[in-house]
Amino acid sequence: MAGLPTGTVTFLFTDIQGSTRLWEEHPADAASMIARHDEIFDQVVSTHQGINVKPRGEGDSRFAVFSRATDGVTAILAFQRRVSEEPWPHPLAVRAALNTGEADVRDGDYYGPPVNRCARIRGVAHGGQTLLSESTAELVTDSLPEGAMLKDLGTHRLKDLSRPQRLYQLCHADLADDFPHLASLDALPTNLPAQLTSFVGREQELADVRRLLETARLVTLTGAGGVGKTRLALQVAADVIEAYPRGVWFADLASISDPDVVPATVARAIGMGTSGEGATADLLAEYCGSGMALIVLDNCEHLLAACAELAERLLMACPAIRILATSREALGVAGEAAWRSPSLSLPEPGVQTEQSEAVRLFIDRARLADSTVEFQDPDDLETVAHICRRLDGIPLAIELAATRASTMSAGEISARLDDRFRLLVGGRRTVLERQQTLRAAIDWSHEPLDATERAVFRRLSVFVGGFTLDGAEAVCGGDGVEEVEIVDLVRRLAEKSLLVVERRSTGTRYRMLDTIRQYAREKLLDSGESPVVHTAHRDFYLDMATRAEAELLGADQAAWFRVLRAEADNVRAALAWTEGDPEAADDFLRFASALWRFWYVHDIREGGRCLAAALAAAPGAPAALIGHARVRMAELAFADLDVADALAQHDAEGGGEDRPRDRRRVPRGLGALGHRHAPAYRRSARSAGAARASARDRPFERRRVDRSPRALRAGCHRLHGRRSR
């Protein structure tokens, strides 16, 4: 929407209290009543220099914005007075809220904490009541409309779990003034802890988990360390608190090491008195009874059996209870809905960098560390985006990196991410030790692994860009790990959130987040297994490339191209390892030669560089292998229109293994170049002459070339993807 005001603006949110009941009880009148409500709202907003913004919620909610706070207050007062005077066929009451803050305009809408806070303030109001935040009240106190006044309602904790907010009620003689206590967290049974930082993004994730809680009685948020499971669970719990009259209770199990005290810890969280011997699961279930309550079990991964037993007992004994758990892996209870917590969204091509959740979090936390930090320059924003990508969108890693912005530029932070476990330290002293450094967060996941899980975990770090089960079996077996165990071990690592599962049309692949892979790679280097594992990795992809060379000419060539595209990063890593091994020069040459058809389609020059390096590294390789490689290099050279190099490789190839099928391609390809460059006569003549000279030296080829000029045209068409004239 064009023309939305920017800078510091005042937001207005309204909705009709009890609109669902209105539709159910009076469907014939509901539509006309809401239409009249919308008409009044639109008239009042436009009259007082406001702008209607598309509704952020559903149904009857409305959203407007004003450049001046006084205009917003005057508008909502006029609206509430007209609503109270309207002869409605059935009672209609509107609750409203105003909040003033910095506008974040994107794609015709507003985002950010000031907007979210306005919605939260509206959520604690009652029908007919209008609430103002302290920021708005300070701006309008001395210029209220005639007859209006503000009533100080004190401080209240809102559902965004940030610091308590002082709220004010807009009063006027024409409006109702006597309302119940606000429906803030202070008035509801809960022990949800206040949060000192804002909750950034994740609107879709919040909605997904809320929907799950409506259908499943146990929902477990799983995910890698530092991905923000606890913060997400707390926000979901705050959002749904009104649905649980017996309360929403948060039990943090992170510091508990004895499984036997889990029930007592939960009992204390919900305010249940415990005896000296602690509470049993049965006593806890009896206390909860049939009341509608939500219990948040946080950090269950090191107490899985105890948490599963308690959850199952409570769910069976208390029919109205719900449990929201966080853990690196699911609890394994019947009826459990496991939901993997994703990383924050990263910048996408064609989308403004600062719109991504990861970049917004970095900027927000950087400004908390140093309020003078700015990221206005596009290059700085792109560097921040690069940092967030390198850190996989993991909130803990991004927050730790952002704290460095007070003493380092974004470029300096980015340059040091190869040693991120030294860089990303120094979290808040008041949080758990495992949340103060990135390494400690991943240690928390690594330490419970058994010996075979640790071995496979560190060995999988040699894969780049993901892997298949076949690859894992070929690379990770041996030295205490049986090949038949690897499928199950990969599954267990995925369940513990150390691997990401990607289901594609070509099959299932697995990958490590880059941060976790860097950690696992350190473990591999410390183990002394690195040379053996890298060699196994090289052998697997060398075998794949060797098979692909023949298959790329057959009926399954499309499938094999897809395989090689998916494994391109692994192939490059295996080539790099082979190039660095002086004892594997022949394998390097064989590897590079086998991939020539893949490079021909995807990156001719990369293939040429790789073949050149392989030929230089293996001067003593068998003549047949060298000849084969030079033929392949000549193929790539003339495909890249490099006649001189193609001729050089053709001349150097002479004397190799008698492979008429391979050697035939050199004169045929050079002839095709002659057709390709027909407009440039001299170059064409040289290319065609070279083809004839080559054919004279090889009678078998001469017959094929001289006898069938159509073959040359067809070759040109195949090699250059266009019809030859």
Side-chain angles (χ1 to χ4, degrees), residues 12 79 126 138 158 198 220 232 265 308 310 345 361 389 411 480 524 569 581 588:
L12 168 63
F79 173 75
H126 300 281
E138 288 178 350
L158 304 177
S198 61
T220 301
L232 181 61
T265 303
L310 175 61
S345 67
L361 179 67
R389 292 188 191 100
L524 180 64
D569 290 337
D581 183 357
F588 184 29

Side-chain angles (χ1 to χ4, degrees), residues 244-284:
Y244 297 94
R246 287 294 298 273
V248 172
W249 310 104
F250 177 77
D252 186 1
L253 305 175
S255 60
I256 305 301
S257 57
D258 184 355
D260 293 335
V261 303
V262 170
T265 303
V266 177
R268 285 194 295 272
I270 67 175
M272 171 185 168
T274 60
S275 64
E277 297 179 355
T280 67
D282 290 336
L283 288 174
L284 187 56

